[in-house]
Amino acid sequence: MSIKPMLLPDIGDFKSVDIIEIMVKVGDVIAVDDPLFVLESDKATMEIPSSMAGKIVDLKVKIGDKVNTGVLVADIEVDDSAVVVKAVPVAAPVPTVAVSAAPVATSAPTVAPIVVAASADKPINAPVVGAKAHASPSVRVFARQLGVDLSQVTGTAVKGRVSKDDVQGFVKGVMSGAKALPNAVAVATGGMGIPAIKQPNFADFGDITSEPLSRIKKISGKHLHACWLNVPHVTQFDECDITEMEAFRSGLKEQAKARGVGVTPLIFVIKAAIAALKKFPHVNASLSVDGENLILKQYYHIGVAVDTPNGLMVPVIRDADKKSVWELAEALKELSHKAREGKLSPTDMSGATFSISSLGGIGGSQFTPIVNAPEVAILGVSKAKMQPVWNGAEFVPRLMMPFSMSYDHRVIDGAQGVKFTTYLGQMLTDIRQLLL
Ligand code: CAO
């Protein structure tokens, strides 16, 4: 038996790095590769594995110490008859950032940072800002066993530390598709990835409560996020004069009452949208999965966003082009009731070719709806207001309805988008055109 000094391995360009965790104590018997310390610079976190097997007889560092490559960190009692001193190789593959592979000394091997997603324009040994992760040794070991990059995991324990449950939740999220694997993101986005949002411990700033998201919110949230990330959105804003349409609609109120339905502006918006979809068939389409073809649909199934107590649902009015104003009003009534009672079937919610989100009954002037992919466009309808409009000779009071259309710029270019919205507005301004 003899006492050997253990030096801090080569930590690359890092200088004066804080020791934030010590995973061992005097008296511990350690094997080669057992995690000893966690170092944290302002840019990355590194776990330092043991390069020797033996018993720790003295620890020369403590939490908070600033250390550099080669500093004495521990005295280890080793069995001279079976000395095992191993160099730890740089194992982290691109795009994971690794400290540069400097020549490895027996007691000062090179280590790889635990964390990090690399950006393509950074050198291989450049650490990435925001790559901190606070976790106990056992959680680190657990994460490593599962191949989880702790910097991708949101910590929910005290002071934002990552718990075992957080790691498990992250793995579940990846397996269910709710989270993208960091490397997959890096490949899909040319190495940039999606920067994580740092979350403070809100309780540090005041009292908080927490409530679970509804099942619908979780499902729609995942879908909306995917649409937002996958579709290059452009939103075109416009408004149209619906004074005449409103006069006609008001005249229908008695009949509507007798039929037990409401004929809201939305019914005419659906009619006008179908006319515009027929004139601009590329809007009633989807991109093929490989992005090589546009699939033009010869049917007009209109998704309508419905606000329900449990969250947003988008039931679909099938063959809306074949329905009269009354039939559309019936269909909207039935589907929105079913949505609010949680009784929509998967069929009720599938197959839309174009969607409409109307907030006109609530308020607001304009908004940017998220395209309900694989559709390529969505219409947002806002609240009509009486406004003074210049008719060339004088200002006249007109009922103006703002609307917007978000579209997938891979399929629809700006000129096509504004032609669509202009045509739609014309149809609503003079709904007699819909008869032609
Ligand atoms: N301008 C002015 N008034 C409008 C209007 C508009 N654009 N749209 C509707 N209104 C009026 C209606 O005419 C009705 O008044 P009357 O009874 O006097 O006619 C009143 O507002 C309420 O309409 P409504 O909202 O109940 O009915 P709708 O057909 O316009 O919409 C539905 C039905 C199901 C789409 C709607 O209730 C809803 O859920 N909207 C929210 C959709 C949503 O959440 N979108 C956001 C998705 S992204 O998060």
Side-chain angles (χ1 to χ4, degrees):
M1 293 284 189
S2 65
I3 308 292
K4 294 216 179 296
M6 185 191 288
L7 307 183
L8 192 73
D10 183 356
I11 54 173
D13 293 341
F14 297 93
K15 298 275 182 288
S16 261
V17 185
D18 287 331
I19 295 191
I20 61 161
E21 277 183 30
I22 298 181
M23 303 166 173
V24 286
K25 57 185 185 312
V26 172
D28 281 358
V29 175
I30 52 169
V32 171
D33 281 349
D34 277 358
L36 300 178
F37 314 107
V38 176
L39 307 184
E40 186 177 66
S41 75
D42 57 345
K43 295 174 180 168
T45 303
M46 287 161 279
E47 192 174 88
I48 308 296
S50 173
S51 54
M52 302 179 186
K55 184 171 160 190
I56 299 175
V57 291
D58 197 3
L59 275 172
K60 304 290 187 187
V61 288
K62 58 185 184 313
I63 289 176
D65 281 359
K66 293 188 183 299
V67 292
N68 292 299
T69 299
V71 75
L72 176 64
V73 289
D75 285 336
I76 311 290
E77 186 182 69
V78 296
D79 180 352
D80 293 324
S81 61
V83 175
V84 181
V85 180
K86 187 194 157 195
V88 180
V90 177
V94 176
T96 301
V97 172
V99 174
S100 60
V104 176
T106 45
S107 56
T110 302
V111 296
I114 301 163
V115 287
V116 259
S119 105
D121 58 355
K122 290 198 169 148
I124 191 66
N125 61 349
V128 174
V129 178
K132 292 180 184 178
H134 297 284
S136 70
S138 62
V139 172
R140 288 181 182 283
V141 170
F142 181 57
R144 204 175 43 231
Q145 283 166 347
L146 295 176
V148 170
D149 174 354
L150 275 178
S151 70
Q152 304 293 323
V153 183
T154 304
T156 61
V158 180
K159 291 191 177 171
R161 288 178 81 82
V162 177
S163 68
K164 202 171 173 183
D165 284 351
D166 293 332
V167 175
Q168 275 169 335
F170 179 85
V171 172
K172 272 189 199 159
V174 170
M175 297 307 287
S176 68
K179 288 184 172 69
L181 280 165
N183 282 350
V185 171
V187 169
T189 59
M192 291 301 288
I194 300 168
I197 294 173
K198 279 190 186 173
Q199 188 140 308
N201 181 8
F202 301 117
D204 286 348
F205 307 104
D207 292 343
I208 56 169
T209 59
S210 172
E211 58 183 46
L213 285 181
S214 71
R215 197 180 64 85
I216 289 171
K217 273 222 152 104
K218 282 189 207 160
I219 294 169
S220 64
K222 205 159 95 176
H223 176 63
L224 288 166
H225 195 195
C227 293
W228 181 253
L229 293 173
N230 282 291
V231 176
H233 281 72
V234 174
T235 302
Q236 174 66 55
F237 300 102
D238 206 342
E239 60 178 3
C240 61
D241 183 339
I242 60 162
T243 315
E244 309 301 336
M245 184 199 93
E246 189 59 12
F248 178 64
R249 191 182 77 85
S250 297
L252 292 177
K253 277 197 175 161
E254 283 306 310
Q255 284 185 67
K257 205 171 155 188
R259 288 171 178 266
V261 291
V263 179
T264 58
L266 180 55
I267 302 301
F268 294 97
V269 172
I270 295 171
K271 282 266 174 208
I274 290 165
L277 291 170
K278 287 185 171 169
K279 188 167 174 68
F280 301 95
H282 287 187
V283 185
N284 199 54
S286 287
L287 266 180
S288 61
V289 174
D290 61 6
E292 299 280 324
N293 295 291
L294 194 59
I295 300 159
L296 299 158
K297 295 157 195 173
Q298 309 302 313
Y299 50 89
Y300 301 86
H301 299 339
I302 305 298
V304 179
V306 177
D307 180 31
T308 81
N310 289 322
L312 175 70
M313 306 206 76
V314 189
V316 180
I317 301 180
R318 302 194 108 70
D319 297 315
D321 58 314
K322 299 192 176 89
K323 288 188 163 56
S324 67
V325 163
W326 301 120
E327 287 167 337
L328 287 174
E330 279 285 353
L332 183 61
K333 181 181 165 187
E334 188 196 322
L335 287 169
S336 54
H337 280 187
K338 273 171 108 174
R340 286 176 181 139
E341 285 164 17
K343 292 186 176 156
L344 288 172
S345 67
T347 314
D348 289 330
M349 290 188 287
S350 56
T353 57
F354 180 80
S355 288
I356 302 177
S357 173
S358 175
L359 295 174
I362 304 170
S365 51
Q366 294 273 17
F367 66 107
T368 55
I370 296 176
V371 172
N372 189 22
E375 295 153 47
V376 295
I378 182 169
L379 189 69
V381 181
S382 297
K383 192 175 181 64
K385 289 188 190 91
M386 200 55 93
Q387 285 176 26
V389 175
W390 185 251
N391 68 2
E394 57 181 345
F395 280 105
V396 289
R398 305 296 294 179
L399 187 63
M400 302 301 292
M401 189 175 77
F403 62 97
S404 48
M405 185 174 80
S406 298
Y407 55 84
D408 186 334
H409 207 353
R410 293 171 300 178
V411 176
I412 300 166
D413 58 30
Q416 204 181 13
V418 78
K419 279 180 194 164
F420 184 97
T421 52
T422 302
Y423 185 77
L424 179 84
Q426 286 166 353
M427 293 297 107
L428 288 167
T429 296
D430 183 0
I431 53 171
R432 293 171 307 175
Q433 299 283 329
L434 294 171
L435 297 171
L436 301 177

